[in-house]
Amino acid sequence: MSINCPECGVPDHLCQTRFDEFLVLEFTDAGYGAVHHLTVATYMVQHSSKLTREGWLHERELLREFLIEIKPPAFIRKQNKDLVDSGKRKFKIKSRDGLPVINKTTWMKTILDVRAENAAVYCEDVTAWAKSTLEDSEKISQV
Ligand SMILES: [Zn+2]
């Protein structure tokens, strides 16, 4: 029996398997690793049960900064690190109850739309997945 992921809708929870495989690719090949920041933020936005409400809003904001404001990942990493180091961040990112923050199960694109046969195609598809997910998530008014 196949059970769809209750958060992104893909069959058999393939999203988790695919995500784990992609992280390995990204850590072992710099060509794939170039979009690591997008892969993680996009996956998290689609799987809000892993996050607190503030954490989800933070990940969505990160996507916006990467894709719309075109801030480089290194810059954002430093900003975030400063926040964490100085204890200025007032919220928790990781969910404690494992309940979804948003009520959404269908997305224009999921991680299954990402092809991985080479780094160029991979980066293009992750970016398209990230953009459509940002677009989808910005329509959510109740968080
Ligand atoms: Zn999923």
Side-chain angles (χ1 to χ4, degrees):
M1 200 175 83
S2 118
I3 299 165
N4 292 355
C5 170
E7 299 194 79
C8 75
V10 313
D12 292 326
H13 287 274
L14 269 175
C15 43
Q16 176 76 60
T17 317
R18 201 58 69 86
F19 182 63
D20 293 341
E21 287 167 5
F22 284 176
L23 291 191
V24 172
L25 263 180
E26 291 177 357
F27 286 126
T28 49
D29 185 324
Y32 289 81
V35 290
H36 175 65
H37 57 294
L38 289 178
T39 310
V40 174
T42 307
Y43 184 80
M44 290 300 164
V45 165
Q46 288 196 344
H47 296 85
S48 68
S49 68
K50 298 185 187 302
L51 303 167
T52 57
R53 177 180 175 276
E54 292 76 15
W56 188 83
L57 290 169
H58 175 73
E59 295 295 334
R60 183 174 67 173
E61 177 60 22
L62 274 183
L63 269 190
R64 212 181 54 78
E65 289 183 356
F66 291 139
L67 296 166
I68 311 291
E69 295 175 24
I70 325 285
K71 290 192 186 168
F75 172 82
I76 297 177
R77 261 201 306 277
K78 176 162 188 322
Q79 243 183 355
N80 287 339
K81 192 174 173 298
D82 290 349
L83 266 178
V84 175
D85 287 351
S86 60
K88 276 190 207 135
R89 200 177 70 199
K90 297 266 194 297
F91 61 91
K92 295 237 176 299
I93 296 232
K94 272 194 179 169
S95 171
R96 286 212 200 106
D97 56 17
L99 296 173
V101 173
I102 53 167
N103 183 16
K104 180 168 178 62
T105 55
T106 51
W107 302 85
M108 287 189 274
K109 281 181 191 288
T110 68
I111 199 164
L112 298 193
D113 291 304
V114 177
R115 294 161 300 166
E117 56 258 37
N118 65 59
V121 151
Y122 180 77
C123 292
E124 193 180 302
D125 283 1
V126 167
T127 305
W129 173 43
K131 280 188 176 153
S132 77
T133 300
L134 177 64
E135 210 178 298
D136 275 343
S137 67
E138 286 192 319
K139 291 184 196 133
I140 301 170
S141 50
Q142 271 189 319
V143 182

